[in-house]
Amino acid sequence: MMKNTLKVVLALALTAGLSAGALAKDTIKIGWTAWSDAEFVTKLAAKILEDRMGYDVELIQTDIAPQYQGVANGDIDVMLMSWQPGTHADYVEKVCNDVVPLGILYTEAQLGWVVPNYIPEDELSSIEDLKKNEVKEKLDGTITGIDPGAGLTRLSKQAIEDYDLDYELQISSGAAMTAALKRAVDRNEWIVVTGWSPHWMFGAYDLRYLEDPKGVLGSYERVMAMARKGFYQDEIEAASFLSRMQIPLDDLQASMYDAQESSYEEAVDKYIENNGKRVDYWVTGEI
C-alpha cells in the first residue's frame, strides 16, 4: 500500500515537471560558527543539499561549544568545523561517545599568531620576541583575539602563560579581529592577531605566522564533519554526500577571498559552477 502511495506521489511530481531529486525531503539542521571558512563551507553544503538533493536546510549559528553539545544531544544534525586532533580536543573528548565522524572536509589547517609582513623579521619573528620591551611597547601589550569559546582562544591563553608573556589577549570575534587587522595595515601599525588557515585575510594582506618554538598553538590540523548518532541511518544520502565533500585548501582560501569581494552566496555559486565534476562526485559518489 505504501509503495503504491509513493508511486502516485512520484507520478504527480513528474507530471508537474519536477525531478525526483527536487521532491521535498527532511530538514537537515547544520550548526555553524561565524568564521569565514565555516560560513563558506556551510553555505556550500546547504546550497547543494537544497538544490541538488531536495532537502530543506536550517542553519543554526552558535558558538562552537554549544554546537558540539547540540550535535551530541540531537538538536543539531551535523557540524562541519571540528578541528582535530588538537584545537577542539577538549570538546571532542566530552562528546566522543555521542557523535559520529562523517569525513574530512580539508587538511593542512593551521593555527597561530599572525603579523603583517611589514613588521621586520629581525625584530619580531617568534612568540619569544614578544618579551622584548620595545616590541611590547609597539604592540601596546595586546594580542588581538577572536571569540571566547574558540579553541584558538584557549590555546592563545595557554601560550601567554607558557611563554610568560605580560600581554592582554583582547577577546572579541572573528569579524572584530579582521577589522582591527585592516585598520593596522591601513595605518602601517604593528599588530599581532590570533589567526588560522584557511582564511581570506591571507589573500587580502601580506602576512606571516610567528614561530612557535614550544608548539603551544599546535601543528597542522584536519577539519571534519561530525553528525549526531543515527543521522547516517536516517539521512543516508545527505550523510554520504557530506562524507565525500572534501575541498582543496587553495580552493577554499580563494573562495573565501571571493566571498569578501562579493558575498558568500555569490562565491558558493561560482564554486559550484567552476567545479561541476567535483560536486557531481560529492552528490553521487560516481567518478
Side-chain angles (χ1 to χ4, degrees):
M1 183 65 178
M2 290 296 291
K3 288 182 178 178
N4 289 336
T5 302
L6 180 59
K7 285 178 181 177
V8 171
V9 172
L10 282 169
L12 290 172
L14 292 171
T15 301
L18 299 173
S19 69
L23 287 173
K25 297 181 180 176
D26 293 338
T27 297
I28 307 293
K29 296 180 181 178
I30 304 179
W32 69 292
T33 302
W35 303 328
S36 183
D37 50 346
E39 184 161 5
F40 178 78
V41 170
T42 302
K43 290 185 174 178
L44 176 61
K47 180 79 172 176
I48 296 170
L49 283 166
E50 288 178 332
D51 289 0
R52 290 286 302 272
M53 305 182 73
Y55 287 96
D56 290 327
V57 176
E58 180 181 350
L59 300 184
I60 301 172
Q61 186 178 347
T62 177
D63 286 341
I64 195 68
Q67 200 174 137
Y68 273 99
Q69 194 56 49
V71 176
N73 63 26
D75 291 338
I76 296 174
D77 290 312
V78 294
M79 57 181 290
L80 305 180
M81 282 289 131
S82 178
W83 282 58
Q84 301 184 29
T87 308
H88 293 172
D90 288 356
Y91 300 128
V92 173
E93 185 178 352
K94 287 179 183 174
V95 302
C96 61
N97 292 325
D98 300 311
V99 301
V100 177
L102 287 180
I104 296 174
L105 287 162
Y106 56 91
T107 57
E108 299 182 44
Q110 186 178 1
L111 301 176
W113 288 0
V114 176
V115 299
N117 248 334
Y118 56 72
I119 296 178
E121 281 199 69
D122 58 354
E123 295 183 55
L124 179 56
S125 63
S126 165
I127 293 177
E128 292 278 11
D129 292 331
L130 295 171
K131 293 178 180 175
K132 299 175 185 173
N133 289 332
E134 61 273 22
V135 170
K136 181 184 172 186
E137 186 175 338
K138 289 178 179 176
L139 292 167
D140 198 25
T142 299
I143 308 294
T144 302
I146 56 173
D147 40 299
L152 178 55
T153 299
R154 176 179 59 80
L155 293 172
S156 293
K157 289 178 179 176
Q158 189 67 49
I160 287 175
E161 185 177 326
D162 289 2
Y163 282 94
D164 194 23
L165 299 176
D166 183 19
Y167 277 74
E168 177 190 357
L169 178 62
Q170 202 169 63
I171 295 172
S172 53
S173 66
M177 179 274 287
T178 53
L181 177 63
K182 181 181 186 306
R183 280 196 303 274
V185 170
D186 288 345
R187 299 169 183 171
N188 210 45
E189 294 174 345
W190 283 43
I191 189 171
V192 175
V193 302
T194 64
W196 65 94
S197 303
H199 197 293
W200 61 264
M201 65 184 182
F202 287 95
Y205 311 115
D206 185 16
L207 306 172
R208 68 172 185 271
Y209 282 103
L210 294 182
E211 295 170 13
D212 176 16
K214 294 185 178 182
V216 182
L217 298 172
S219 184
Y220 290 113
E221 300 265 277
R222 61 183 182 272
V223 177
M224 302 190 64
M226 307 287 280
R228 63 169 171 81
K229 273 187 172 179
F231 177 72
Y232 188 85
Q233 289 76 13
D234 294 342
E235 307 292 351
I236 190 167
E237 290 181 25
S240 297
F241 154 67
L242 291 170
S243 70
R244 288 188 291 264
M245 184 180 169
Q246 190 170 111
I247 309 174
L249 193 66
D250 288 345
D251 282 15
L252 178 54
Q253 210 142 250
S255 293
M256 292 159 67
Y257 184 65
D258 284 343
Q260 295 304 309
E261 297 295 297
S262 54
S263 69
Y264 284 93
E265 287 73 18
E266 288 184 48
V268 163
D269 288 342
K270 180 179 175 183
Y271 189 83
I272 292 173
E273 182 180 346
N274 292 337
N275 294 274
K277 288 185 178 178
R278 177 173 289 132
V279 174
D280 285 345
Y281 167 69
W282 293 346
V283 173
T284 66
E286 296 175 2
I287 298 176

